[in-house]
Amino acid sequence: MKAIEDCTAGIVGLGLMGGAVASALRKLDDAPARILACDRDQSALDAARARLCIDEAFLADEDSGAPRTMLEQCDLVFLCLNPSTLIRFVEASMAFFKSGCLITDVAGIKGSVAALAERLRPDIDFIPGHPMAGAEKDGFSNSGLVDFNGKNYILTPLKRNRPENLAFLKSLIRRMGFSRITETSAAGHDSKIAFTSQLCHVIAASLVDCEADSGITRYGGGSFEDLTRIAMLNAPMWTELFLENRVELLERVTRFEKSLDAIKALIASGDAPELEARLTLIRERRGAMER
Amino acid sequence: MKAIEDCTAGIVGLGLMGGAVASALRKLDDAPARILACDRDQSALDAARARLCIDEAFLADEDSGAPRTMLEQCDLVFLCLNPSTLIRFVEASMAFFKSGCLITDVAGIKGSVAALAERLRPDIDFIPGHPMAGAEKDGFSNSGLVDFNGKNYILTPLKRNRPENLAFLKSLIRRMGFSRITETSAAGHDSKIAFTSQLCHVIAASLVDCEADSGITRYGGGSFEDLTRIAMLNAPMWTELFLENRVELLERVTRFEKSLDAIKALIASGDAPELEARLTLIRERRGAMER
């Protein structure tokens, strides 16, 4: 892989995350020589050009497929699409990627993405990834709300990935602001993420679902606000993520329900010493978790 | 009620909230002439004296009861105790309160406190309250972490409360930084708080309870962190709050479980359009809630 400042980088999908990635790349001391981007939304492309996030914009047409002229130039490609769109895009564009290019993605589920990455042309290298950052609003216009600094990044490298490409990507990710990179398998990612991300979104959604009073926030002291911030979710994306990781997620929901039932039973029984002991253990466990 | 700058104010219980109230009173342009405080913990009293939060400290002894000399001087009393301690304290101190004084409290449950306030001497006026602010650490030493600015405050006034005292207290609360004061009944408070506060704490505790891996936070992107911040709970206090509000809380847990089950069923069935429609409604409902 050549040095990043000699690369042409391509962003596929200029939504919330695509916009944040483009901005982060542009701000690097050794920014890519050129940053190209494609999207189905001309206004997102125009806004990115206006903000000087990208050098050249390519309109992706659902019928005509991927912008071949863009992909043929890119040494590094960030796929910033929902999982199903990502898979359709790569399958349609397989022949257009530049030989030797490095591809990565930002999808919140890695099983199907890793399977796709395994069956690419041998001369291109796809390292699946998941930046653990986001915002409660969608689209390019909100991408300034996404803060990469100090955040986690998960990579699920394949055996076929070239070690120098993995080293290149990790170095780039750190310079984009992320502070902790964890490498695991696609299955390991999907199992952990079912808990830290998807279950939390299901809980937040359920919490809003069970209260119809729009004035309830007058009684908020931060807890409700914290627990439901993520209920402002991108419904099509989270539907995909929940359904694709259905088995792991349902298992996590069931485990959560078991804990909830146990605490509910302690409250119902009025057993103060047992309840206090359990809450004390929970406090200790949360305190012992890595920062 | 005389002007606040002519009052002697008393803080009973110099923990997290007592310390925050003392500091907020001290910072007022028209701060009370004197701020007195009592606690069972000499080190909290010493720290408050050293920080000039209070003018005089009284050690409360569990055996000898309430500090009579302090209460006899106070025109305004903030009871900053857990509900059960608050009730024992007021019952033991009933005779000592200064005639004409205004009492309020900060307890997170109002049923038993309101019942107590109803049976006080007719020459003293107790207006129950609940400042919706806190922190994930306990004790006076952490009271600087509590921020009242822009927060909600709930008052549950009684028919017997004097209107001029209620107006005095509301004006004081606003000057302490709170931006929205809601008046409701004790029962109304306990029903709403079972949802916005107690259910949220039960959920946060359950979420930590169902995952033993202390390295799980490597996979966190903010959702898990937001949802479990409040799992760092003061176990004795929350045990009291959960158990005293048991009926309302269990009803809220059941309603939450029903919503969770419905979303779980949509995920299990793989019904993408229905799941997306429900998540969209939830997003809209959360967005429509008052700020």
Side-chain angles (χ1 to χ4, degrees):
Chain A
M1 192 75 186
K2 50 181 133 177
I4 181 77
E5 64 262 42
D6 298 325
C7 285
T8 293
I11 314 287
V12 177
L14 260 188
L16 184 81
M17 288 302 292
V21 168
S23 288
L25 289 176
R26 182 64 99 197
K27 284 177 193 151
L28 293 176
D29 288 336
D30 53 350
R34 301 186 72 220
I35 302 178
L36 318 182
C38 67
D39 201 279
R40 292 182 306 200
D41 176 5
Q42 184 67 49
S43 68
L45 294 168
D46 292 344
R49 288 292 303 274
R51 282 209 229 154
L52 306 177
C53 286
I54 61 172
D55 299 295
E56 200 171 344
F58 297 81
L59 187 66
D61 182 322
E62 280 198 82
D63 297 323
S64 70
R68 178 173 187 153
T69 27
M70 171 176 141
L71 293 181
E72 284 173 345
Q73 302 178 58
C74 295
D75 305 295
L76 171 67
V77 178
F78 275 90
L79 301 171
C80 302
L81 301 168
N82 286 3
S84 64
T85 317
L86 183 160
I87 289 166
R88 281 199 309 276
F89 179 90
V90 173
E91 283 172 345
S93 320
M94 194 81 91
F96 308 152
F97 290 105
K98 183 175 178 181
S99 190
C101 78
L102 171 58
I103 304 174
T104 190
D105 75 309
V106 303
I109 183 90
K110 298 269 74 93
S112 57
V113 175
L116 171 78
E118 288 284 12
R119 59 176 195 269
L120 289 192
R121 281 163 37 200
D123 62 319
I124 58 182
D125 206 22
F126 186 158
I127 305 176
H130 185 186
M132 302 302 295
E136 280 60 64
K137 294 182 175 176
D138 307 332
F140 178 80
S141 61
N142 291 305
S143 58
L145 300 174
V146 180
D147 181 10
F148 291 159
N149 285 303
K151 300 290 166 48
N152 290 320
Y153 207 110
I154 306 170
L155 290 173
T156 60
L158 312 172
K159 279 189 191 140
R160 60 170 269 174
N161 290 140
R162 293 169 59 189
E164 64 272 28
N165 281 345
L166 182 58
F168 173 94
L169 186 57
K170 286 165 74 173
S171 162
L172 180 62
I173 288 166
R174 287 203 188 282
R175 279 174 294 138
M176 287 165 73
F178 294 90
S179 62
R180 183 163 53 187
I181 301 172
T182 299
E183 290 176 54
T184 184
S185 64
H189 168 277
D190 291 355
S191 163
K192 300 290 192 185
I193 283 304
F195 178 71
T196 58
S197 174
Q198 293 163 1
L199 173 61
C200 292
H201 281 77
V202 167
I203 288 171
S206 303
L207 196 51
V208 171
D209 189 76
C210 71
E211 174 57 61
D213 176 7
S214 67
I216 192 72
T217 35
R218 298 190 151 257
Y219 297 86
S223 308
F224 176 73
E225 293 75 3
D226 277 1
L227 266 71
T228 59
R229 180 183 60 81
I230 56 171
M232 297 295 292
L233 33 67
N234 175 330
M237 182 178 85
W238 285 98
T239 297
E240 266 195 34
L241 295 175
F242 290 167
L243 294 186
E244 187 170 328
N245 206 21
R246 190 187 324 187
V247 175
E248 289 285 351
L249 175 55
L250 291 174
E251 205 266 317
R252 292 292 190 162
V253 174
T254 302
R255 274 167 65 178
F256 168 75
E257 286 174 327
K258 219 172 134 187
S259 287
L260 181 61
D261 276 343
I263 293 174
K264 187 184 178 188
L266 286 173
I267 294 169
S269 74
D271 188 340
E274 277 295 316
L275 178 57
E276 186 177 324
R278 188 138 183 167
L279 296 179
T280 302
L281 281 176
I282 286 168
R283 180 190 172 98
E284 285 165 6
R285 178 182 284 188
R286 183 66 189 89
M289 285 178 178
E290 293 176 30
R291 302 215 162 250
Chain B
M1 193 72 188
K2 50 181 129 177
I4 180 76
E5 63 263 43
D6 299 324
C7 285
T8 294
I11 314 288
V12 177
L14 260 187
L16 183 82
M17 288 303 292
V21 169
S23 287
L25 290 176
R26 181 65 99 197
K27 284 177 194 153
L28 293 175
D29 288 336
D30 52 351
R34 300 187 72 220
I35 302 177
L36 319 181
C38 66
D39 201 278
R40 293 182 306 200
D41 176 5
Q42 184 65 52
S43 68
L45 295 168
D46 292 345
R49 288 293 302 276
R51 280 210 229 154
L52 304 177
C53 285
I54 61 171
D55 299 295
E56 200 171 345
F58 297 81
L59 188 65
D61 182 322
E62 280 198 82
D63 297 323
S64 71
R68 178 172 187 154
T69 27
M70 171 176 141
L71 293 182
E72 284 174 345
Q73 302 177 57
C74 295
D75 306 296
L76 172 67
V77 178
F78 274 90
L79 301 171
C80 301
L81 302 168
N82 286 2
S84 64
T85 316
L86 183 160
I87 290 166
R88 282 200 308 276
F89 179 91
V90 173
E91 282 172 345
S93 320
M94 195 81 93
F96 307 152
F97 289 105
K98 183 175 178 178
S99 190
C101 78
L102 169 59
I103 305 175
T104 191
D105 76 308
V106 302
I109 184 91
K110 298 270 71 92
S112 58
V113 174
L116 171 79
E118 288 285 11
R119 59 178 197 268
L120 289 191
R121 283 163 36 201
D123 62 320
I124 57 183
D125 206 22
F126 186 156
I127 305 176
H130 185 186
M132 301 302 296
E136 281 58 65
K137 294 182 174 177
D138 308 332
F140 177 80
S141 61
N142 291 306
S143 58
L145 300 175
V146 181
D147 180 11
F148 291 159
N149 286 303
K151 300 290 165 49
N152 290 320
Y153 206 111
I154 307 169
L155 289 172
T156 62
L158 312 171
K159 280 190 189 139
R160 59 170 271 174
N161 290 140
R162 294 169 57 188
E164 63 271 30
N165 282 346
L166 182 58
F168 173 93
L169 186 58
K170 285 166 74 172
S171 163
L172 180 62
I173 287 166
R174 288 203 188 280
R175 281 175 291 139
M176 288 166 73
F178 293 90
S179 63
R180 182 164 52 186
I181 302 173
T182 299
E183 290 177 54
T184 183
S185 63
H189 168 276
D190 291 355
S191 163
K192 299 290 192 185
I193 283 303
F195 178 70
T196 57
S197 175
Q198 293 162 2
L199 172 61
C200 292
H201 281 78
V202 167
I203 289 170
S206 302
L207 196 50
V208 171
D209 188 76
C210 72
E211 175 57 61
D213 176 6
S214 67
I216 193 72
T217 36
R218 296 188 153 260
Y219 297 87
S223 309
F224 176 73
E225 294 75 3
D226 277 2
L227 266 70
T228 60
R229 181 183 59 83
I230 57 171
M232 295 296 292
L233 35 67
N234 175 331
M237 183 179 83
W238 285 98
T239 297
E240 266 194 34
L241 296 175
F242 290 167
L243 293 186
E244 187 170 328
N245 207 21
R246 190 185 328 185
V247 176
E248 289 286 352
L249 175 55
L250 290 174
E251 205 266 318
R252 291 291 190 163
V253 174
T254 302
R255 275 167 62 178
F256 169 74
E257 287 174 327
K258 218 172 135 188
S259 287
L260 180 60
D261 276 343
I263 293 174
K264 188 184 176 187
L266 287 174
I267 294 169
S269 73
D271 188 339
E274 277 295 315
L275 178 58
E276 186 176 325
R278 187 137 185 169
L279 296 180
T280 302
L281 282 176
I282 287 168
R283 180 189 171 99
E284 285 165 5
R285 178 182 286 189
R286 183 65 189 91
M289 285 179 179
E290 293 177 29
R291 302 218 162 245

